[in-house]
Amino acid sequence: MSTSAPALSTKVASADSSERKKITTATFRQKKERAEPITMLTAYDYPTALAEDQVGIDAILVGDSLAMVVLGYQTTLPVTMEEMLHHCRAVSRGARYALLIGDMPFMSYQASTEEAVRNAGRFLKEAGMEAIKLEGGRERLEAVRAIVAAGIPVMGHLGLTPQSINQFGGFKPQAKKAAAARRLLEDALLLEEAGCFSLVLESVPARLAELVSKKLSIPTIGIGAGIGCDGQVLVTHDLLGLFDRFTPKFVKKYANFNAEMQRAFTEFISDVRGRTFPSAQHSIEMDPAEWERFMQDLGS
Ligand code: KIV
């Protein structure tokens, strides 16, 4: 941003703001009842949150995928609470209407229920989030109940839960066998009973996700889980073609921003080397009389 740019409002001034309503967990429920698909994307910074909010996304997840697509780690495991909160704050400054969900990082909720509640609370108290997401099924019920009891909406996450990658042995589709499918359905029902307002289903067979979605009264948000979910989420850096270390089968690339960035950077380098940037248009002029005075000062 140029230093002479006018101060920007931290909130979006959308043309149709009078017609738009803030999305809440109640909206999620209503959308499921009305069979209206719920849209969710990840964001990790102010401009992305601003753009997603401006076009009417229902929910923004500050995912721990941050670790991989922004911070360059091989897995989601290393990202810390402080890093997550830092990015959540930036996102909350850009979004006004979307439901804002902070993803609890690895080991911020697994060690004890008390720690889980305290860390969940930090997302709302310190970082402008309105709900949290955590991974796991029956083993997380105590934490889910305690966080919900503290007044914090919880989104669950089943299937390919990336924080358990070392147990899965890689980023592999889950619940493809009958026993695992049954366990996933049981976990989904238990999470609903424990108070989750919604559930992410990641990389599981489409017909299992559809069945789970029908059995639950809370909405499911699918990623690699087929069309039968109540909503869909993608990692924004995958959708924009900004993360090209690998592309999961379930990702649809809507743009190739990496190529576009490379084109712009190459053009900048070429302009600077060829002395065609900055041109007069991008330079600051001084009043000739002031310049003359300055010259005279120097001469005296
Ligand atoms: O961290 C993340 O971005 C996620 C989504 C894939 C749901 O958990």
Side-chain angles (χ1 to χ4, degrees), residues 163-232:
Q163 291 175 16
S164 304
I165 186 168
N166 291 306
Q167 276 174 334
F168 298 148
F171 292 100
K172 297 175 183 160
Q174 298 297 309
K176 289 176 80 174
K177 294 269 166 49
R182 189 187 177 96
R183 188 178 168 87
L184 186 138
L185 173 60
E186 287 168 2
D187 279 350
L189 291 164
L190 288 168
L191 286 171
E192 171 171 89
E193 201 181 291
C196 283
F197 75 93
S198 178
L199 192 58
V200 167
L201 295 175
E202 179 165 352
S203 204
V204 297
R207 49 182 160 174
L208 171 63
E210 187 176 355
L211 181 131
V212 171
S213 305
K214 285 191 177 133
K215 295 254 181 209
L216 295 184
S217 58
I218 58 171
T220 59
I221 310 294
I223 174 163
I227 196 70
C229 294
D230 301 302
Q232 297 292 330

Side-chain angles (χ1 to χ4, degrees), residues 40 42 44 61 63-65 103 133 157 200 202 223 233 235:
M40 181 160 103
T42 65
Y44 318 97
L61 171 69
D64 66 349
S65 48
D103 209 0
K133 177 172 85 58
H157 186 161
V200 167
E202 179 165 352
I223 174 163
V233 58
V235 170

Side-chain angles (χ1 to χ4, degrees), residues 63-219:
D64 66 349
S65 48
L66 163 73
M68 297 175 71
V69 302
V70 174
L71 303 180
Y73 291 116
Q74 293 295 317
T75 70
T76 60
L77 304 193
V79 72
T80 64
M81 270 299 293
E82 299 312 321
E83 286 166 333
M84 289 301 301
L85 295 175
H86 172 77
H87 287 269
C88 286
R89 282 183 206 109
V91 165
S92 77
R93 289 180 206 116
R96 184 166 170 183
Y97 298 102
L99 178 69
L100 300 181
I101 305 161
D103 209 0
M104 296 196 69
F106 181 56
M107 291 317 294
S108 69
Y109 57 97
Q110 290 90 342
S112 78
T113 301
E114 192 180 320
E115 214 175 352
V117 177
R118 280 199 200 292
N119 282 324
R122 293 189 70 194
F123 279 93
L124 276 68
K125 203 172 167 76
E126 300 174 33
M129 296 291 104
E130 296 153 341
I132 61 95
K133 177 172 85 58
L134 51 74
E135 298 182 5
R138 60 198 71 194
E139 66 285 4
R140 298 286 161 248
L141 297 182
E142 202 183 311
V144 170
R145 281 194 206 102
I147 296 169
V148 172
I152 302 165
V154 177
M155 176 177 264
H157 186 161
L158 292 174
L160 172 53
T161 45
Q163 291 175 16
S164 304
I165 186 168
N166 291 306
Q167 276 174 334
F168 298 148
F171 292 100
K172 297 175 183 160
Q174 298 297 309
K176 289 176 80 174
K177 294 269 166 49
R182 189 187 177 96
R183 188 178 168 87
L184 186 138
L185 173 60
E186 287 168 2
D187 279 350
L189 291 164
L190 288 168
L191 286 171
E192 171 171 89
E193 201 181 291
C196 283
F197 75 93
S198 178
L199 192 58
V200 167
L201 295 175
E202 179 165 352
S203 204
V204 297
R207 49 182 160 174
L208 171 63
E210 187 176 355
L211 181 131
V212 171
S213 305
K214 285 191 177 133
K215 295 254 181 209
L216 295 184
S217 58
I218 58 171

